[in-house]
């Protein structure tokens, strides 16, 4: 006698299958305990801010401005100010270690320096910091943000509607910034570790072990990248306290040295700097501007890291940082002037480091130890900035979509595991290639001048369209001109290592350009079908009992968020080769919300009980577990009657007898050999697909890895070339 399969679901094993599997299930709760506590704390903080706002209603514009700095997205707290110190200022904070020494080297040593040269150099450094960092970046660029995010790509996102040509400076600037992100950790950490060689007690150890410095640097670099997963807030709190001590130290040490020779205050007059630049006392010529640029190498990090720490934190902390840096430079300048007639330093070729030389012997031990910590921290600004730049690039479809983690409740503080690994490996390659900071310095800073020029161009366009045209003209005359001088001066480094920086920037630019071009070609080919076009044939396949089921549920993951249409890639996947018959077909897209704990979904049935368009919206702190959430959606539709019963007859690994087996499908595209496409377009697509192969499948991001999804490759049908007919022969 035949057995009714429906009776099998009463078997004990089917009913108790969940005892043998721990497949993830969706809770009945909308939030976890930790999420509820976080929301309660955020709501309480918001109420406190509203009460403070009421208290400051009658305090006038200044009081209102001060309140805005203490509340809202740009609020300033002592904790976040400390984070800003550790995340943003590490790079620019280590510049006093080598800027003035490089100046003396360019002059030919203390023997060829004079008071006019020192005052002129200090004037150039002071006014460059004032014009580029304070005015251009802090006061102008940081007012231009994209939902709190900074950086050249965020700036481009606001301006791209004003001209297609703007993609050129944006891509070039972003590629150069990422190239510098590779060099900065190698430069800052290696130069800091090499400072250990100056300690008398360790000189013999390093002399007997020439590779010891390199090995220590490698270990520290690996450790720095290993802690990135904890997030910039956690790192910044640890690093910030150290950076605070560092800036207090260099500021006080500089003030003490400067107090012995207040003549250096003449450098506050910009005339001395301009006169020295074009005078015979300047032995370095235009290359002097490359030395001056070393004082502002961390300026771009202020803008790119704005999303990590908030604009307000940078506004509050920069004045302190600026004063400490100026005091350090002026203190070193005062020491050089006092040393001009000192026989111990005036012999030919003497190039002492003014930063350490102006200190007493006992304080030099403290300075070396602090500089080691500061050098390690300096790399953090560029690493966190690189995460921001890559995140912005993926939103612009200039790079593959990679898994992004948000260690804190602030979306701006992000961590990208793949980029962290790539940066770490690239930094180690740079270190092994150049081996010490002296050789790395030859390539250092050149790429960053390119980024700052491109940023200046985009800011000029922003001012022209969004603000005042006269202000835009003034800005364009001053800032890009200054940055162009820095670039020309830095090109002197090209043959000594700068070629590596430009080669690295070119490689990154190639990735962004080809990914963008490939995406445009794919989108030009993409087509969509209306429900009335595809539903009749899908209904026929759904009801055709002569074709066995491919799976009860076939789930397609798609980037298309429009709910009233079906991507032709999905349609032809269903009918390609052997038709994929199913009880239900699903087209699922996932969006990331700006809120941390959002869990929402919407469904469009298109008037059927077998075709479902699902859009899942998850907060950026919520793990993307599509299988678990899709089971919940299916049960919701079963209860509402929109999805017919799918009771299974045999146990399944997900232990859910109410839902039939599910098969997940991902669709990739490949270029047809007969495609009528330019050689440039074909190359762009090939490189894009190669990058996608290296970057990996998005299965982990969707939470599908353990479910063995099917990855299909469909031809990319661009305009095709028809080959001539074949001639039949006997």
């Amino acid at each position: 006698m035949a057995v009714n399969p429906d009776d099998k679901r009463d078997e004990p094993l089917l009913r108790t299958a969940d005892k043998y599997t721990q497949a993830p299930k969706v809770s009945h709760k909308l939030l976890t305990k930790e999420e509820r506590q976080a929301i309660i704390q955020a709501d309480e903080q918001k109420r406190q801010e509203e009460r403070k706002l009421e208290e400051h209603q009658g305090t006038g514009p200044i009081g209102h401005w001060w309140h805005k700095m203490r509340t809202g997205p740009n609020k300033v707290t002592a904790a976040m100010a400390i984070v800003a110190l550790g995340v943003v200022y590490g790079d620019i904070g280590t510049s006093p270690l080598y800027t003035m020494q490089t100046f003396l080297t360019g002059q030919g040593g203390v023997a060829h320096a004079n008071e006019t040269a020192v005052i002129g150099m200090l004037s150039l450094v002071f006014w460059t910091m004032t014009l580029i960092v304070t005015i251009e970046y802090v006061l102008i660029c940081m007012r231009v943000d994209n939902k709190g995010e900074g950086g050249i790509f965020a700036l481009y996102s606001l301006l791209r509607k004003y001209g297609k040509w703007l993609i050129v400076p944006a891509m070039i600037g972003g590629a150069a910034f990422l190239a510098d992100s590779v060099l900065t950790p190698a430069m800052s950490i290696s130069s800091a570790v090499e400072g250990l060689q100056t300690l008398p007690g360790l000189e013999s150890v390093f002399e007997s072990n020439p590779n010891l410095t390199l090995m220590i640097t490698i270990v520290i670099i690996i450790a720095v990248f290993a802690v990135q997963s904890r997030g910039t807030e956690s790192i910044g709190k640890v690093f910030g306290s150290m950076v605070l001590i560092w800036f207090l130290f260099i500021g006080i040490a500089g003030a003490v040295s400067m107090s012995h020779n207040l003549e250096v205050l003449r450098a506050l007059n910009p005339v001395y700097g301009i006169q020295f630049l074009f005078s015979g006392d300047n032995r370095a010529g235009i290359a002097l501007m490359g030395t001056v640029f070393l004082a502002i190498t961390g300026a771009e990090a202020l803008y790119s890291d704005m999303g990590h720490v908030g604009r307000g934190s940078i506004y509050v902390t920069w004045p302190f940082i600026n004063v400490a840096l100026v005091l350090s430079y002026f203190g070193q300048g005062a020491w050089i002037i006092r040393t001009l007639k000192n026989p111990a330093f005036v012999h030919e070729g003497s190039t002492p480091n003014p930063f350490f030389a102006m200190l007493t012997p006992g304080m030099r031990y403290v300075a070396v130890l602090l500089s080691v910590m500061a050098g390690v921290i300096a790399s953090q600004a560029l690493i966190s900035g690189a995460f921001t730049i890559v995140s912005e690039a993926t939103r612009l479809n200039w790079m593959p979509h990679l898994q992004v983690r948000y260690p804190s409740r602030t979306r701006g503080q992000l961590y990208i595991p793949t980029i962290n690994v790539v940066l770490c490996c690239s930094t180690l390659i740079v270190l092994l290639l150049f081996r010490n900071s002296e050789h790395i310095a030859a390539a250092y800073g050149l790429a960053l001048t390119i980024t700052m020029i491109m940023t200046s161009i985009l800011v000029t366009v922003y001012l022209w369209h969004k603000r005042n045209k006269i202000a835009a003209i003034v800005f364009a005359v001053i800032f890009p001109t200054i940055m162009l001088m820095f670039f020309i001066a830095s090109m002197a480094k090209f043959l000594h290592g700068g070629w590596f920086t430009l080669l690295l920037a070119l490689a990154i630019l190639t990735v962004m350009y080809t990914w963008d071009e490939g995406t445009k070609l794919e989108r030009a080919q993409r087509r969509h079908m209306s429900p009335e076009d595809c539903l009749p044939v899908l209904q026929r396949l759904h009801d055709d009992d002569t074709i066995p089921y491919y799976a009860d549920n076939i789930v397609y993951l798609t980037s298309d968020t429009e709910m009233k249409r079906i991507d032709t890639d999905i349609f032809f996947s269903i009918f390609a080769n052997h038709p994929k018959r199913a009880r239900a077909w699903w087209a699922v897209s996932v969006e990331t919300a700006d809120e941390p704990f959002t869990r929402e979904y919407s469904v469009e049935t298109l008037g059927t009980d077998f075709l479902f368009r699902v859009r899942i919206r998850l907060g950026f702190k919520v793990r993307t577990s599509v299988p678990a959430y899709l089971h919940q959606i299916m049960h919701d539709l079963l209860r509402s009657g929109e999805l017919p019963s799918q009771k299974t007859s045999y146990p399944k690994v997900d232990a859910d007898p109410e839902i039939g087996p599910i098969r997940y499908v991902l669709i990739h595209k490949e270029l047809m050999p007969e495609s009528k496409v330019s050689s440039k377009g074909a190359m762009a697509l090939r490189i894009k697909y190669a990058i996608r192969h290296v970057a990996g499948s998005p299965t982990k991001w969707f939470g599908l890895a353990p479910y063995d999804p099917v990855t299909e490759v469909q031809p990319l049908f661009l305009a095709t070339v028809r080959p001539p007919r074949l001639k039949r022969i006997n």
Side-chain angles (χ1 to χ4, degrees), residues 526 556-561 567 570 587-590 613 666 702:
R526 177 176 285 183
Y556 289 92
L557 281 304
T558 176
S559 60
D560 183 23
T561 58
D567 197 320
I570 296 176
V588 180
S589 62
V590 179
R613 286 289 283 109
L666 294 171
F702 284 115

Side-chain angles (χ1 to χ4, degrees), residues 343-422:
F345 295 99
V346 182
H347 58 277
E348 187 72 23
S350 175
T351 53
N353 189 330
F355 177 81
F356 294 106
M358 70 177 180
L359 302 171
T360 62
M363 293 303 296
R364 288 175 192 170
Y365 287 90
V366 178
V368 169
L369 294 177
L370 288 177
S371 67
V372 170
M373 292 189 296
V376 171
I377 296 168
S379 60
Q380 182 61 47
L382 271 297
I383 295 172
S384 55
F387 292 154
T388 302
I389 288 290
V390 171
S391 176
E392 291 288 344
T394 56
R395 294 179 191 176
L396 294 168
N397 277 312
W398 292 352
M399 283 189 175
H401 288 267
L402 303 171
Q403 184 179 15
V404 179
R405 298 178 187 174
Y406 301 89
S408 73
R409 292 192 72 244
T410 304
R411 185 171 185 176
Q413 297 181 13
L414 49 86
Y415 165 69
I416 306 177
T418 302
I419 297 301
N420 193 58
V421 172
V422 171

